[in-house]
Amino acid sequence: MDYHVFFENLQSRYHLEELLLHIYHHPQDFDALFNMAFEADNKKAWRVLWAVEKISQRNPEWFDQKKIDRITEMVLTTRHQGMHRIGLSILNSFPAPDPINVDMLNALYDWMLSPAFAIGVQSLAMKLLYKYALTNEDLLREFIITIDQADESEYTAAFTASKRNILKKYR
């Protein structure tokens, strides 16, 4: 299968599912697919990351630390909000790293609390921060205080719902 052509012509979720089935039966192609996300222009890279996101949810064992680090670096540097959101979603498929990347931790707080970011980015940053915070009592306490004190009038209803869901799990 020519993956470059496939992603240029990707039309729907149905077509993506066909690709995912193909990759499932040809796992040796996953590395090439993964690398395409970092070689392509933003539009194609976003589409490839969409496939990588679905694979991370279904087959997280296909990701070694090098791939996770590459996604982390992309999330920290991209200006494309769609790729940013998908990258956070991919990272949410894996356990919290040990040790936690301090740059990522600080960035997650920025993304979660800045209304300038899309709600998908804010919500995923909040969920990922919560996952990371669960690994350390001090981090958890700081995280809970931070979201508990966030002024709901400055955020969307979706942000408030994510906040309430996390606080409900915590308490």
Side-chain angles (χ1 to χ4, degrees):
M1 175 180 281
D2 186 340
Y3 297 115
H4 291 282
V5 172
F6 178 87
F7 284 104
E8 285 174 11
N9 299 309
L10 181 63
Q11 299 294 316
S12 68
R13 171 74 190 236
Y14 174 77
H15 290 114
L16 180 66
E17 288 297 330
E18 288 178 350
L19 171 81
L20 295 174
L21 184 60
H22 174 81
I23 292 291
Y24 179 78
H25 290 293
H26 300 91
Q28 69 276 9
D29 289 356
F30 177 62
D31 285 345
L33 179 73
F34 182 86
N35 290 329
M36 272 183 63
F38 302 95
E39 299 164 355
D41 62 63
N42 279 348
K43 185 176 181 181
K44 192 186 299 182
W46 183 87
R47 290 176 174 182
V48 175
L49 279 174
W50 187 25
V52 171
E53 174 192 29
K54 301 307 175 197
I55 292 168
S56 75
Q57 294 165 349
R58 298 171 188 183
N59 301 95
E61 68 280 1
W62 289 8
F63 292 77
D64 57 19
Q65 193 57 50
K66 186 176 175 183
K67 285 182 177 66
I68 294 170
D69 290 345
R70 199 156 181 203
I71 294 290
T72 301
E73 183 62 29
M74 183 273 303
V75 166
L76 286 170
T77 59
T78 188
R79 294 183 186 274
H80 187 281
Q81 286 218 15
M83 290 173 60
H84 196 182
R85 182 193 59 74
I86 288 178
L88 290 172
S89 179
I90 292 167
L91 291 174
N92 207 22
S93 298
F94 311 115
D98 184 25
I100 296 171
N101 179 321
V102 176
D103 291 333
M104 177 59 94
L105 194 64
N106 291 332
L108 287 169
Y109 273 105
D110 290 344
W111 301 329
M112 175 183 74
L113 295 172
S114 174
F117 284 93
I119 183 55
V121 171
Q122 287 180 308
S123 180
L124 285 164
M126 187 184 303
K127 290 174 186 175
L128 202 51
L129 263 172
Y130 182 58
K131 180 185 279 190
Y132 290 1
L134 286 173
T135 66
N136 179 292
E137 191 173 312
D138 291 335
L139 282 178
L140 182 59
R141 212 175 4 262
E142 177 185 346
F143 172 73
I144 295 301
I145 289 168
T146 301
I147 65 168
D148 200 30
Q149 292 179 350
D151 182 1
E152 292 181 7
S153 68
E154 296 181 21
Y155 298 99
T156 65
F159 178 93
T160 302
S162 293
K163 171 186 162 178
R164 287 185 185 151
N165 287 336
I166 286 175
L167 290 174
K168 188 171 25 171
K169 285 181 193 176
Y170 174 70
R171 294 183 176 131

